[in-house]
Amino acid sequence: MPSARLTIDPHFSIGPIRRKLFGGFVEHLGRHVYDGIYEPGHETADAEGFRTDVIDLVRELGVDTIRYPGGNFVSGFRWEDSVGPVAQRPRRLDLAWHSTETNEVGLHEFASWLDKVGSDLMMAVNLGTRGTLEAIDLLEYSNIAGGTALSERRIANGRIEPFNVRMWCLGNEMDGPWQLGHRSADDYGKIASQAAKGMRQLDPDVQLVVCGSSSAHMPTFGEWERVVLTHTYDDVDLISCHAYYEERGGDIGSFLASAVDMDGFIESVVATADHVKAVRGSSKQIDISFDEWNVWYLERYHGVDKIEGIDNWPIAPRLLEDVYSVVDAVVFGNLMISLLKHADRVASASLAQLVNVIAPIMTEPGGPAWRQTTFFPFSITSRLARGEALRVKLDAPTYETEAYGEVSLVDAVATHDAEAGRSAVFLVNRSTTEPVTLTIDVAALGEVAVVESHTISDDDVYAKNTLDDRERVSPKPNDTARIAGGELTITLPPVSWTAIALA
Ligand code: AHR
């Protein structure tokens, strides 16, 4: 059995863990909003038509700030359609997802849902087919107390207090040829700078996120960040990263190492942002908003799901409804480890998405809501990762992957909350065949005991939770964990994700 060794010391802090690292993303896409969070006829629906079984699961998931309303959707979105009396709201074609948007749920309704789930709003403006004026109009509508045309319109629409939205995305994936209004880095950088300046003239305290690359594998990656930040460095606070991973061609070894790619992506964007900082002689630091990340079987979307036809614009079609397996959950948990390992520069992150659409929560119209396998690493990490993220010393065997060369069999990060006297360790074993015996040197933490241990693994790594078998996969206590003489030993099964809480 391979063995590995890990040392944890609370002196080696990466940085404080900002709660925004555990953010989510709700896009008007498929059955996310309609027949997902909103289903007025459902037996659990509240007076506003929101499913309370879904609200309970979102609360259990532990999601902080939620990005809205897209995604690709936002690049064709007229925000004015989504406010005012519902009966008068127009139906629109959503070109991004080839669907019909009814606008039954808009800004006011979504803000009310956010209050119910206990999360903050992070809003994206349309810089694909619209510009600075529409962005500042939406900001005025959202954040000005009253006495102007748009703030009074909000009040007339039933919301007296401003929405007071703090985080704003300046468009979505503007580097992607699929994006409505896709632009060159130079063109987008100029527009983003103008929109940001205008928005700050109105509300100087908003946090602004400029679009980085849609993935580290875009042909413009790196140069896009350099050019866009050269235009916007003084105007924005954060640059976005987006990344989705999937198992391709049966190459499970590379898939299990997806976090290696995420680590490299983050480090390259940090290097590029710091390069622009150096060239400008600036003292300001630009951090990352990793505002779309997940496992997504994109090949399946292009092959099976995609909707076409001039007469075919369905409402809330079943789109991007990936059903996640144990191996997907292990990769997903490892992506969260990567985010925590970069907590000094990743200020905010949004799991894409939340309900039905590449989501940890699934629903059936008129039926139940349930947890996908990926629900568990998110809810457990969000609950246990508190205080500071810690740099760990890891000695582990390696294996060879087609996509990333030689990679570690084990990945790990630790967290430490000095005030609460609690620590946590998050681990993956990427071996498809062998359990790993891990020895963790915890002496620097003082006298500690294991208070929780959870492992996700299964003899069938492709086991899933489905409508017919909703609890097939769940985390189990890992009772191999033992502490003696300042050392914790634990066995990590093949293809597994583990969290240990110490107090
Ligand atoms: O999350 C699904 C889609 O992925 C988003 O709409 C888009 O921003 C990205 O390409």
Side-chain angles (χ1 to χ4, degrees):
M1 188 186 302
S3 61
R5 209 178 157 80
L6 187 70
T7 306
I8 298 175
D9 187 324
H11 292 104
F12 300 136
S13 169
I14 298 169
I17 300 161
R18 292 167 269 204
R19 293 305 301 162
K20 283 189 166 51
L21 212 55
F22 307 107
F25 173 33
V26 171
E27 177 165 9
H28 282 250
L29 195 182
R31 296 193 307 121
H32 197 160
V33 175
Y34 310 110
D35 279 357
I37 68 174
Y38 176 79
E39 193 187 332
H42 194 269
E43 60 176 2
T44 72
D46 64 14
E48 290 182 282
F50 292 120
R51 284 182 66 151
T52 55
D53 56 346
V54 174
I55 289 171
D56 290 345
L57 285 175
V58 175
R59 292 187 78 93
E60 182 186 325
L61 191 62
V63 197
D64 196 83
T65 303
I66 298 183
R67 182 169 174 252
Y68 177 81
N72 296 338
F73 170 80
V74 83
S75 292
F77 181 54
R78 301 161 172 96
W79 68 266
E80 304 87 337
D81 291 350
S82 80
V83 299
V86 175
Q88 289 166 28
R89 295 185 194 167
R91 286 181 167 221
R92 295 279 189 193
L93 297 180
D94 165 14
L95 301 186
W97 302 107
H98 209 95
S99 311
T100 296
E101 173 56 50
T102 63
N103 283 304
E104 272 166 275
V105 172
L107 175 55
H108 291 248
E109 294 77 20
F110 190 68
S112 170
W113 183 77
L114 285 175
D115 288 343
K116 294 171 202 226
V117 299
S119 301
D120 290 332
L121 179 57
M122 173 185 188
M123 188 93 90
V125 298
N126 175 356
L127 289 189
T129 53
R130 308 188 96 188
T132 302
L133 183 64
E134 293 88 351
I136 56 180
D137 279 354
L138 177 55
L139 183 58
E140 178 187 329
Y141 187 91
S142 305
N143 284 12
I144 294 291
T148 66
L150 292 170
S151 56
E152 289 299 324
R153 190 150 131 207
R154 181 196 70 240
I155 293 167
N157 287 337
R159 170 84 182 206
I160 294 165
E161 292 303 316
F163 292 109
N164 198 17
V165 183
R166 299 325 317 154
M167 278 188 93
W168 294 79
C169 302
L170 300 167
N172 177 67
E173 293 190 347
M174 299 306 301
D175 64 322
W178 57 86
Q179 198 70 216
L180 267 176
H182 159 63
R183 288 179 174 68
S184 67
D186 204 39
D187 288 349
Y188 169 67
K190 286 179 194 160
I191 289 168
S193 166
Q194 285 167 5
K197 285 190 173 79
M199 291 173 80
R200 281 210 202 285
Q201 270 175 263
L202 194 152
D203 184 345
D205 298 329
V206 284
Q207 255 203 316
L208 298 177
V209 185
V210 75
C211 291
S213 293
S214 311
S215 101
H217 304 283
M218 294 299 288
T220 49
F221 175 57
E223 188 58 3
W224 174 275
E225 280 74 6
R226 187 190 68 74
V227 173
V228 165
L229 282 177
T230 299
H231 284 292
T232 59
Y233 204 87
D234 296 334
D235 306 318
V236 303
D237 305 288
L238 303 156
I239 183 158
S240 70
C241 292
H242 290 182
Y244 293 100
Y245 297 95
E246 64 191 301
E247 185 181 336
R248 290 170 200 268
D251 183 3
I252 188 172
S254 297
F255 180 49
L256 281 161
S258 297
V260 171
D261 185 76
M262 193 188 230
D263 289 341
F265 187 5
I266 294 169
E267 286 153 24
S268 302
V269 174
V270 165
T272 309
D274 289 350
H275 164 78
V276 179
K277 175 184 178 188
V279 170
R280 300 174 69 85
S282 174
S283 57
K284 175 181 175 184
Q285 178 174 294
I286 297 285
D287 286 333
I288 292 174
S289 165
F290 214 118
D291 48 43
E292 286 188 34
W293 68 269
N294 202 347
V295 172
W296 177 11
Y297 287 86
L298 198 52
E299 277 182 359
R300 200 177 299 156
Y301 166 67
H302 287 297
V304 183
D305 272 358
K306 210 163 181 176
I307 303 166
E308 283 166 325
I310 184 93
D311 296 327
N312 184 25
W313 302 87
I315 297 171
R318 288 183 186 260
L319 275 178
L320 279 59
E321 299 202 3
D322 285 5
V323 180
Y324 293 118
S325 66
V326 169
V327 65
D328 294 329
V330 171
V331 170
F332 181 104
N334 202 168
L335 299 178
M336 296 196 82
I337 290 174
S338 174
L339 293 172
L340 284 167
K341 276 161 73 174
H342 298 93
D344 52 341
R345 296 302 294 268
V346 182
S348 171
S350 314
L351 163 61
Q353 300 196 13
L354 278 187
V355 181
N356 289 332
V357 172
I358 45 172
I361 298 166
M362 295 301 288
T363 71
E364 200 48 35
W370 66 98
R371 300 167 189 82
Q372 291 236 50
T373 57
T374 52
F375 184 97
F376 304 108
F378 192 99
S379 60
I380 295 171
T381 307
S382 170
R383 184 169 58 80
L384 296 181
R386 303 279 163 154
E388 311 258 324
L390 301 183
R391 204 172 306 286
V392 293
K393 165 116 178 52
L394 174 66
D395 296 300
T398 58
Y399 72 107
E400 198 56 34
T401 64
E402 209 171 294
Y404 312 115
E406 194 177 338
V407 305
S408 177
L409 206 59
V410 174
D411 199 9
V413 73
T415 63
H416 180 64
D417 184 346
E419 222 168 278
R422 292 182 75 108
S423 306
V425 195
F426 303 92
L427 301 153
V428 290
N429 174 8
R430 295 171 174 152
S431 170
T432 52
T433 50
E434 306 271 354
V436 170
T437 309
L438 179 70
T439 305
I440 312 178
D441 181 341
V442 290
L445 295 173
E447 282 279 303
V448 286
V450 175
V451 287
E452 288 181 46
S453 66
H454 310 274
T455 290
I456 300 175
S457 69
D458 202 283
D459 290 342
D460 174 7
V461 299
Y462 294 106
K464 301 172 169 88
N465 293 342
T466 58
L467 174 61
D468 297 330
D469 195 356
R470 299 195 289 280
E471 295 181 10
R472 164 69 181 79
V473 179
S474 61
K476 304 281 179 303
N478 188 325
D479 39 32
T480 65
R482 302 267 179 284
I483 290 196
E487 285 194 340
L488 189 165
T489 54
I490 188 166
T491 303
L492 309 175
V495 189
S496 64
W497 174 89
T498 295
I500 310 166
L502 303 164

